[in-house]
Amino acid sequence: MAMTQGVRGTRDFYPEDMRLRNWLFQKFHHSALSHGFEEYDAPMLEMEELYTRKSGEEITQQLYNFEDKGGRRISLRPEMTPSLARMVMARSGALPLPLKWYSIPQCWRYERTQRGRGREHYQWNVDIWGAAGVEADAELISVLVHFFRSVGLTSEDLVIRVSSRKVLEEVLGSLGITGEDFSKTCVVVDKMDKLPAEAIEGQLSELGLDNEAVSTIQSVLGIRDMGSLQDSLGGDSEAVLELDSLFGLIEAYGASDWVALDASVVRGLAYYTGPVFEASDRSGELRAICGGGRYDRLIGTLGGKDLPATGFGFGDMVVIELLQTKGLIPELSHGVSDVVFGMGPGLREAAMRVAASIRSRGRDVDLVLEDKRMKWVFKHAERIGAERLVMVMPDEWADGKVKVKVLESGEESEVEFDSL
Ligand code: 4HU
């Protein structure tokens, strides 16, 4: 195998890729910071048992796991939420609530079925712990909308489809399906548009759902407006009241155009309990851009005392595809403001003095390290998008001056070294 081969399913980030990634991450940072969130981080490695939930979720069936040299079962994290739950549990009682935290972790998966698919991505995670009301869920939607606007996307490009796990909980509760069976049913229902009908019916019948129950579920999942939801679940349905309040708050935030009720949204993670949402492009060509929801009982399943929580995960890949199709990827420059060039080996030290002086004033300077022709230096300065070319030349330097060329205008001048 050639040594240029990386680990299957991983990506290299060349400087041009890194510029785009950093641009995207800055948008993630600013959108979270603009809403008062604080950044946190956790190790990429966790004890495997943090993810052994046994609800049939794809994410826990595709663990990138192994045994370490001490015989411990370890996994690369497939998602951030369990690490966050662990951190919150470890400081239970000591953290000021509600807490609003975000992170941009690299997450890993290892699927046996298909090759050639990515095994890592970066996933922006934004979470609120200790706030039980839909105000917190509305805040997450606002962070998302802030992000979409900041990258130039509009509500015509994409939609955040919203529902609540309580919709299915009420329907399934009346059929006697509760607790763990309810979570497992949600995981199967999430796959309804991805697997053949027979496979879904088989999995649902294992969970105690007959054909009539399946068609009841299907008709409820088809609901796209609050009127029909109320007709189906009744006026005092908790799901209806919850979603009604949530849409009211989203309206107050001026974000109504970005959201739509869609009862088919359940999400594939077992731990969701309340409002759930996902964003996708309006044309429906791409996979979901992000997804999230309320998970008030996750800590309980990890052996701690429950704490209300809600959050979303937002991968770095699908949104880039969407921005590409919409022509919204910006031209990102190298970021250097000045190129400094000493003409000839005799002026190498002078050029370093000049570069150091400009850098001490807070500018980003690329010093030409070797003897190059003037033509090469001009091309180089243009290619990296520098504003100025500072040339240290024998006669000028003898007078304590350098030659400065402003690249956009082409204007040239002689400047005292001290006043650069
Ligand atoms: C997932 C988890 C980890 C890594 C990748 Br790529 N994808 C689930 O979407």
Side-chain angles (χ1 to χ4, degrees), residues 11 13 17 20-21 24-25 28 104-107 120-124 147 288-290 313-323 329:
R11 295 170 292 170
F13 290 86
D17 309 315
L20 180 58
R21 177 173 131 190
L24 179 69
F25 286 13
F28 288 159
I104 313 176
Q106 190 177 27
C107 297
E120 52 81 21
H121 67 170
Y122 289 89
Q123 193 193 53
W124 182 33
F147 167 82
I289 294 161
C290 68
F314 190 124
D316 67 337
M317 290 198 272
V318 183
V319 70
I320 291 293
E321 280 180 60
L322 178 62
L323 291 169
I329 302 284

Side-chain angles (χ1 to χ4, degrees), residues 168-182:
L168 263 189
E169 194 182 17
E170 287 170 19
V171 173
L172 293 169
S174 69
L175 300 169
I177 310 266
T178 60
E180 212 163 276
D181 281 343
F182 167 66

Side-chain angles (χ1 to χ4, degrees), residues 231-253:
D231 291 345
S232 185
L233 299 179
D236 53 2
S237 147
E238 260 191 61
V240 171
L241 296 174
E242 179 183 80
L243 286 169
D244 212 39
S245 320
L246 178 55
F247 285 119
L249 297 174
I250 292 168
E251 160 108 71
Y253 252 142

Side-chain angles (χ1 to χ4, degrees), residues 9 58-59 62 77-79 106-110 117-123 317:
E58 188 169 75
I59 202 162
Q62 299 182 339
R77 62 182 166 220
E79 53 166 345
Q106 190 177 27
C107 297
W108 296 79
R109 70 174 168 202
Y110 193 103
R117 285 184 65 200
R119 286 181 173 171
E120 52 81 21
H121 67 170
Y122 289 89
Q123 193 193 53
M317 290 198 272

